Amino acid sequence: MTDLEPVAVLGTGAMGGVVARAFAAAGHPTTAWNRTPQRLADLVAADPAVRPAGTPVAAVEGATVVVLAVFDVAAVHDLLDALGDAVAGATVVNLTSTTPETTRALAARVGEGYLDGAAMSGTRHVGDAAALFLYAGDPVTFAAAESVLRALGTARHVGTDPGAASLWDTALLAVILGAVAGFHHAAALVGDPAARMAEVAVGHLPFVAGVLTQHAVQIDAGRYPVDDGSVAVFAGAVDQLIATSVARGVATDLPDALRAVLDRAITAGHADDGLASVAEVLR
Ligand SMILES: NC(=O)c1ccc[n+]([C@@H]2O[C@H](COP(=O)([O-])OP(=O)(O)OC[C@H]3O[C@@H](n4cnc5c(N)ncnc54)[C@H](OP(=O)(O)O)[C@@H]3O)[C@@H](O)[C@H]2O)c1
């Protein structure tokens, strides 16, 4: 017997499937439902610790945490129609992708107990701390559910506004895509096996992390010392990146975009400020 809280997962696609398995692996009595029964049957065959339910209402019976992981927000509304008041008193965690606006409408519909979530690591690593999940909504509701949600990975509460998880999700995508696009460009430029570039670049990431932390302090203070080079110096470095790319036949779309942002900062009078001053011309 386990005394861990019972949970329910509605929707056992790529995301809901790994979420159900992670809850079950952590020892939570886990019940799952899926619209297409065969998909649920496949999941239960792979992990008999997940109990199948024939309807959404049957799945959530007794669950303190109910996770919704379906295709889109319209499907979430369909599910809420089917659930009626069966989730009253439970924490409803929506992992389905939404926008801040559609999330607020969902939160208003569910009322007390709604948390919005964003799976930042896709389906990878779900069940260990390397998987990052962002949550938004009432902090007291989050605190009460946190020990359960930790079964999925690292759980971070990013705001009381239920739309915050979706906003942060999209914003963090800019960080991830910036790093990934930069890596693709670097690998194309060097032309060696990309694995070599990955090895060296990944080893350099702690430095990049330090830069982000330092820039955050500068942006929050509105002061941009030139410790690591001015905007003008970085504009010169990007020009060099563009010239080197052209010489090797590598597309310059990415460094061109960087140069355009630096130009905007220079026009606004930040040529002799630190690189973080670019933040001033982005909004
Ligand atoms: N996969 C990822 O890495 C990832 C990462 C972050 C966020 N997400 C988000 O997580 C959500 C689920 O993604 P996924 O990758 O699991 O998608 P998926 O593999 O395509 O699964 C979609 C799930 O939604 C169900 N569904 C669709 N319409 C429905 C409806 N009207 N009523 C009830 N159930 C319905 C499907 O049921 P059937 O089996 O019956 O079709 C299936 O269980 C999406 O919003 C996605 O953006 C996914």
Side-chain angles (χ1 to χ4, degrees):
M1 277 294 284
T2 172
D3 55 5
L4 291 180
E5 295 180 41
V7 301
V9 178
L10 305 183
T12 60
M15 177 56 66
V18 293
V19 163
R21 294 187 70 162
F23 278 135
H28 289 279
T30 303
T31 308
W33 169 86
N34 193 63
R35 181 181 60 176
T36 303
Q38 188 57 49
R39 202 169 203 169
L40 180 61
D42 292 345
L43 172 67
V44 173
D47 187 348
V50 177
R51 300 177 200 155
T55 65
V57 171
V60 303
E61 196 184 336
T64 55
V65 172
V66 175
V67 172
L68 311 180
V70 288
F71 183 65
D72 60 8
V73 73
V76 175
H77 280 289
D78 287 350
L79 265 183
L80 293 174
D81 288 343
L83 286 167
D85 60 6
V87 285
T91 299
V92 175
V93 180
N94 176 42
L95 291 182
T96 308
S97 297
T98 56
T99 64
E101 290 67 34
T102 54
T103 301
R104 285 183 202 119
L106 278 179
R109 179 169 178 188
V110 174
E112 206 174 314
Y114 181 84
L115 289 176
D116 201 66
M120 295 310 303
S121 317
T123 55
R124 293 192 203 192
H125 308 296
V126 172
D128 75 58
L132 172 62
F133 285 82
L134 306 179
Y135 299 98
D138 175 34
V140 176
T141 303
F142 173 74
E146 190 178 357
S147 64
V148 176
L149 297 174
R150 273 205 299 265
L152 304 183
T154 297
R156 295 288 304 259
H157 184 256
V158 292
T160 301
D161 174 357
S166 166
L167 180 65
W168 274 70
D169 181 356
T170 336
L172 274 177
L173 193 60
V175 177
I176 295 161
L177 288 182
V180 170
F183 170 72
H184 292 166
H185 192 90
L189 198 55
V190 170
D192 279 354
R196 284 197 64 212
M197 174 53 71
E199 188 194 336
V200 175
V202 168
H204 201 43
L205 285 180
F207 168 77
V208 179
V211 170
L212 299 193
T213 306
Q214 188 187 31
H215 280 204
V217 171
Q218 296 174 7
I219 292 166
D220 288 345
R223 289 165 42 86
Y224 309 103
V226 287
D227 304 347
D228 295 318
S230 65
V231 169
V233 164
F234 274 97
V238 173
D239 284 344
Q240 202 178 334
L241 175 56
I242 292 170
T244 309
S245 302
V246 169
R248 282 164 178 71
V250 173
T252 61
D253 309 57
L254 293 171
D256 286 345
L258 283 175
R259 190 66 171 86
V261 174
L262 292 173
D263 275 345
R264 192 176 307 165
I266 290 168
T267 303
H270 292 294
D272 297 326
D273 291 335
L275 184 59
S277 65
V278 164
E280 298 262 338
V281 298
L282 293 179
R283 53 182 301 170

